[in-house]
């Protein structure tokens, strides 16, 4: 079932700002904190919403998780791209945009990555930073879910 | 007429207006162009109609540079030359290949592409190719369309393929031509004339049995291939202070080969058809497509020209595909497990991302989606490099001619070209929603992907340039220092692009034939 998304945008940005300093220092930790935190309850809603969206984008979850794990393994600690993608998704979802529109935005961003040479190499594969980050995000959230 | 040099009287002299040495693609193209004209032409050919081991052994030499083929197996000394075994892949050089590129040292031809255009058209006929057009739209069909790209960074190009055997195809024409005399089993052993700047006075030929004869003409053309043309000129130095044409120490230098490397893997997303890039027949003409980065990408990355074939990644299909010679490379690539587990996951991710893309790309629901993968077989230009060269050794062949040593050398610009080209292709295929690309890891011992090899296209040892300080021959393919000695073939290429050399060398030879028919009249 699709999760409720009642979180107003302001609250959401507030949540981001509240952990922003920590996130800037240790983005990977920041992500784990952000997606796994017990409270506030809205964050859980948001995590579900992001997960729901990413599951809409990726029909073959295991593949996305595998690519995401490889990306996280390679970058280790710290990817401002994952943060940025996460924030963009939340920002758009909190504006009550339809999932399809947000997914469309991600796909457009992937295209722009290739055009603008924002590429990562995973085991030789040339991937857009955004698609790798989406995979990593899915991996992180699902790991926390389980 | 075609005669056997072994049956000519010993120590005889034979006079023509033009003497062509070598009956391979260049020599036969010139002779055919002059057949039926008033120009009397003598053609000396080392071999006969069949390959014989004794004659072929004259081509033995050594390699001291990057690993290369045994020299006696990389070209054929027989009537028809290496066209007896070639694959017949043809495409004219790009306009950019003829221009000076600020980032490629010694680039720029003294001849431009428009000047060669009429000769390319004629060369097309001689090579037995289809219509003179390489526009992708001309060779597409509803089931085989070129990819639609998002930017101009990557272009689809077309090759034609017709392995015309010049020896078989043009034997009758030359045999029946009254003004042509082809002398088989006749090996050039000496350029006669001293000093050479007053012109060659003749050439001495000898059969494997030791019978000698002399050919005299108003003009002489060396058309023996890039290794042998350089060898003949360098060997002329045995009886002179300086070898003919080598006043500036350029003969034998700038040896070039097209670098062929399986540099990557392309995994198309679902519903992407790539038939355009497989060999197929269109109205009787064999064609296949390839991918080429645009000139701006090459300029930005200071890269050479290049293209990539799409070779089906399954060995069986690869063998049947556009480049049968790639079998060993495909085997090497498969043993390196290029299509690893991550590849399938990448394809799935890419398909999910691209399938719902907000931008358009080619989708084919019928026929069913192709879920294959393709090796990206790169054909890279080789930069002019004075250290990549042919030299004489102290050893001699059975006729007393010094053997050669090939030091094949290339380096950073070629490596940069492969990386740049791969990245350009990867970016554009990704941006267009067509699939994802993997870069193949370099071998630690060579610093290159497994299977890197030459394409049996030997070029550049007597390069063409306007000034003697920059090249051995001038724009008319005449040796700068000798008024009546010319060179035909790919040894005159100042740069080599990525396209197979035969069509361009035939076009240049036809242009030379035009020039020489005027020259001998004067």
């Amino acid at each position: 079932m699709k999760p409720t998304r009642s979180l107003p945008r302001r609250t959401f940005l507030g949540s981001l700002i509240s952990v922003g300093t920590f996130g800037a220092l240790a983005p990977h930790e920041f992500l784990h904190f952000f997606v796994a935190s017990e409270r506030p309850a809205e964050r859980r809603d948001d995590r579900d919403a992001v997960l729901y969206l990413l599951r809409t984008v990726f029909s073959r979850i295991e593949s996305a998780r595998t690519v995401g794990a490889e990306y996280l393994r390679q970058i280790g600690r710290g990817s401002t791209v994952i943060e940025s993608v996460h924030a963009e998704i939340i920002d758009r979802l909190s504006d009550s945009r339809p999932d399809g529109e947000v997914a469309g935005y991600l796909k457009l961003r992937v295209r722009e990555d290739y055009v603008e040479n924002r590429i990562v190499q995973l085991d030789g594969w040339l991937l857009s930073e955004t698609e790798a980050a989406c995979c990593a995000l899915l991996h992180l959230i699902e790991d926390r879910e389980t | 007429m075609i005669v056997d040099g072994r049956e000519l009287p010993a120590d005889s002299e034979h006079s023509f207006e033009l003497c062509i040495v070598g009956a391979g693609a260049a020599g036969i193209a010139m002779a055919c162009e002059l057949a039926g004209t008033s120009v009397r032409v003598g053609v000396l050919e080392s071999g006969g109609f069949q390959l014989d081991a004794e004659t072929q052994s004259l081509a033995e030499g050594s390699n001291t540079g990057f690993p290369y083929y045994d020299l006696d197996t990389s070209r054929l000394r027989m009537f028809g030359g290496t066209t007896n075994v070639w694959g017949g892949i043809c495409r004219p050089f790009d306009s950019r290949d003829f221009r000076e590129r600020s980032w490629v040292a010694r680039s720029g031809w003294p001849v431009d592409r428009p000047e060669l255009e009429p000769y390319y058209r004629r060369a097309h006929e001689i090579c037995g190719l289809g219509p003179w057009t390489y526009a992708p739209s001309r060779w597409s069909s509803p089931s085989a369309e070129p990819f639609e790209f998002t930017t101009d960074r990557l272009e689809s190009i077309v090759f034609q393929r017709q392995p015309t055997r010049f020896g078989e195809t043009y034997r009758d024409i030359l045999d029946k031509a009254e003004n042509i005399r082809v002398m088989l089993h006749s090996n050039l052993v000496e350029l006669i004339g001293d000093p050479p700047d007053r012109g060659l006075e003749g050439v001495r030929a000898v059969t494997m049995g030791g019978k000698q004869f002399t050919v005299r003409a108003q003009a002489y053309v060396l058309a023996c291939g890039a290794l042998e043309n350089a060898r003949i000129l360098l060997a002329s130095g045995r009886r002179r202070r300086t070898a003919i044409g080598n006043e500036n120490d350029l003969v034998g230098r700038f040896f070039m080969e097209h670098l062929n490397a399986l540099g990557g893997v392309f995994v198309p997303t679902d519903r992407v058809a790539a038939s355009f890039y497989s060999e197929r027949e269109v109205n009787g003409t064999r064609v296949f497509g390839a991918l080429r980065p645009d000139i701006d990408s090459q300029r930005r990355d200071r890269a050479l020209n290049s293209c990539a074939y799409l070779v089906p990644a399954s060995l069986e299909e690869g063998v049947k595909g556009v480049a049968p010679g790639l079998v060993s490379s495909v085997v090497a690539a498969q043993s390196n497990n290029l299509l690893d587990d991550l590849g399938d996951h990448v394809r799935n991710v890419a398909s999910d991302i691209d399938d719902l893309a907000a931008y358009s790309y080619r989708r084919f629901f019928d026929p069913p989606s192709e879920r294959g993968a393709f090796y990206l077989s790169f054909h890279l230009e080789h930069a002019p490099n004075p250290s990549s060269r042919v030299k004489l050794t102290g050893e001699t062949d059975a006729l007393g001619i010094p053997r050669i040593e090939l030091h094949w050398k290339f380096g950073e610009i070629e490596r940069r070209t492969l990386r740049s080209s791969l990245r350009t292709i990867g970016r554009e295929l990704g941006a267009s929603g067509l699939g994802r690309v993997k870069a193949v890891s370099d071998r630690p011992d060579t610093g290159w992907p497994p299977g890197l090899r030459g394409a049996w296209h030997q070029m550049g040892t007597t390069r063409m340039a306007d000034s003697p300080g920059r090249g051995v021959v001038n724009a008319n393919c005449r040796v700068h220092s000798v008024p009546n000695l010319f060179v035909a073939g790919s040894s005159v290429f100042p740069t080599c692009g990525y396209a197979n050399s035969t069509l361009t060398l035939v076009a240049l030879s036809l242009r030379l034939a035009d020039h020489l028919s005027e020259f001998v009249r004067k």
Side-chain angles (χ1 to χ4, degrees), chain B residues 139 141 162 278-288:
Chain B
W139 301 106
S141 66
Q162 180 58 51
S278 299
E279 184 172 317
R280 63 213 150 80
E281 193 170 305
V282 180
N283 299 325
T285 302
R286 306 294 305 173
V287 295
F288 64 88

Side-chain angles (χ1 to χ4, degrees), chain B residues 149-151 153-154 423-434:
Chain B
F149 298 123
T150 302
T151 72
R153 215 165 30 206
L154 191 62
R423 195 168 181 93
T424 300
I425 290 173
R427 286 177 59 190
E428 189 54 41
L429 292 175
S432 305
L434 293 162

Side-chain angles (χ1 to χ4, degrees), chain B residues 31-93:
Chain B
C32 285
E33 193 70 357
L34 295 168
T37 70
S38 60
V39 182
R40 289 179 297 108
V41 181
V43 180
L44 291 170
E45 168 52 45
S46 170
F49 294 127
Q50 305 295 325
L51 193 64
D52 83 85
E54 191 182 20
T55 300
Q56 192 60 29
S57 72
L58 299 174
E60 287 173 6
S62 53
N63 284 298
T64 59
F66 193 89
Y68 195 64
Y69 310 106
D70 289 341
L71 299 188
D72 58 329
T73 62
S74 66
R75 62 214 198 272
L76 298 183
R77 292 180 76 118
M78 63 184 287
F79 185 69
T82 310
T83 67
N84 285 291
V85 292
W86 74 317
I89 296 174
C90 289
R91 176 179 165 80
F93 280 13

Side-chain angles (χ1 to χ4, degrees), chain B residues 188-404:
Chain B
L188 183 149
V189 288
E190 186 185 352
L191 302 175
I192 306 168
D194 198 20
D197 57 3
R198 280 160 51 189
L200 279 189
E201 293 165 9
V203 296
R204 199 171 330 278
V206 62
T207 65
M208 293 307 290
K211 186 185 283 183
Q212 289 197 22
F213 59 92
T214 303
V215 173
R216 299 194 187 276
Q218 293 172 34
Y220 303 83
V221 180
L222 300 180
C224 306
L227 298 183
E228 211 63 26
N229 284 346
R231 182 186 182 191
I232 290 168
L233 290 174
L234 290 171
S236 72
R238 289 175 303 161
R239 292 190 171 87
R240 297 173 177 81
R241 195 160 55 88
T242 305
I244 292 174
N246 201 29
E247 294 77 11
N248 294 292
D249 190 23
L250 293 174
V251 173
R253 293 188 185 271
F254 304 101
F255 172 82
M256 299 178 288
E257 246 284 17
H258 290 129
L259 295 170
N260 183 207
L262 283 179
V265 178
F266 165 48
V267 176
T269 50
D270 289 346
R271 305 194 195 103
V272 170
S275 308
F276 179 83
Y277 304 90
S278 299
E279 184 172 317
R280 63 213 150 80
E281 193 170 305
V282 180
N283 299 325
T285 302
R286 306 294 305 173
V287 295
F288 64 88
L291 303 172
R292 178 189 62 186
D294 75 340
I295 183 73
D296 290 335
S297 302
Q298 292 173 357
R299 183 183 295 111
R300 185 196 59 232
D301 292 344
R302 302 176 65 76
L304 299 160
N305 207 356
S306 64
C307 78
Y309 299 172
L310 270 54
V311 180
S314 82
L315 183 58
E316 295 73 20
E317 285 183 79
V319 171
K320 288 185 295 184
V322 295
L326 285 172
V327 173
S328 58
S329 301
V330 170
V331 170
Q334 288 189 333
S335 67
N336 279 276
N337 192 27
L338 298 186
L339 290 170
D340 50 20
D341 291 342
L342 192 62
D344 273 341
H345 294 304
V346 166
R347 185 211 305 272
N348 290 337
V349 165
S351 294
D352 287 337
I353 293 272
D354 293 341
D355 230 12
L356 297 170
Y359 45 92
S360 65
Y361 59 93
R362 298 296 314 173
R363 294 182 182 192
F364 289 87
F365 296 94
D366 186 21
S369 59
E370 297 177 7
R371 295 235 346 145
F374 298 88
Y375 292 124
L376 292 169
S377 172
F378 285 88
H379 286 235
L380 310 177
E381 180 179 6
H382 185 299
N385 180 343
S387 302
S388 180
R389 65 184 299 195
V390 171
K391 287 196 292 191
L392 298 182
T393 69
E395 283 183 47
T396 54
D397 65 17
L399 302 177
I401 307 298
R403 293 197 186 279
I404 55 169

Side-chain angles (χ1 to χ4, degrees), chain A residues 59 63 111 114-115 123-124 126, chain B residues 150 340 345 352 427 436-437:
Chain A
S59 65
S63 287
R111 172 188 184 246
Y114 282 111
V115 172
D123 193 27
L126 305 181
Chain B
T150 302
D340 50 20
H345 294 304
D352 287 337
R427 286 177 59 190
R436 301 295 181 267
V437 161

Side-chain angles (χ1 to χ4, degrees), chain B residues 140-162:
Chain B
S140 65
S141 66
S143 62
E145 292 201 59
F147 294 151
E148 285 181 13
F149 298 123
T150 302
T151 72
D152 295 332
R153 215 165 30 206
L154 191 62
E155 302 154 322
S156 290
I157 57 170
V158 172
F159 286 83
Q160 295 192 26
R161 192 166 90 84
Q162 180 58 51

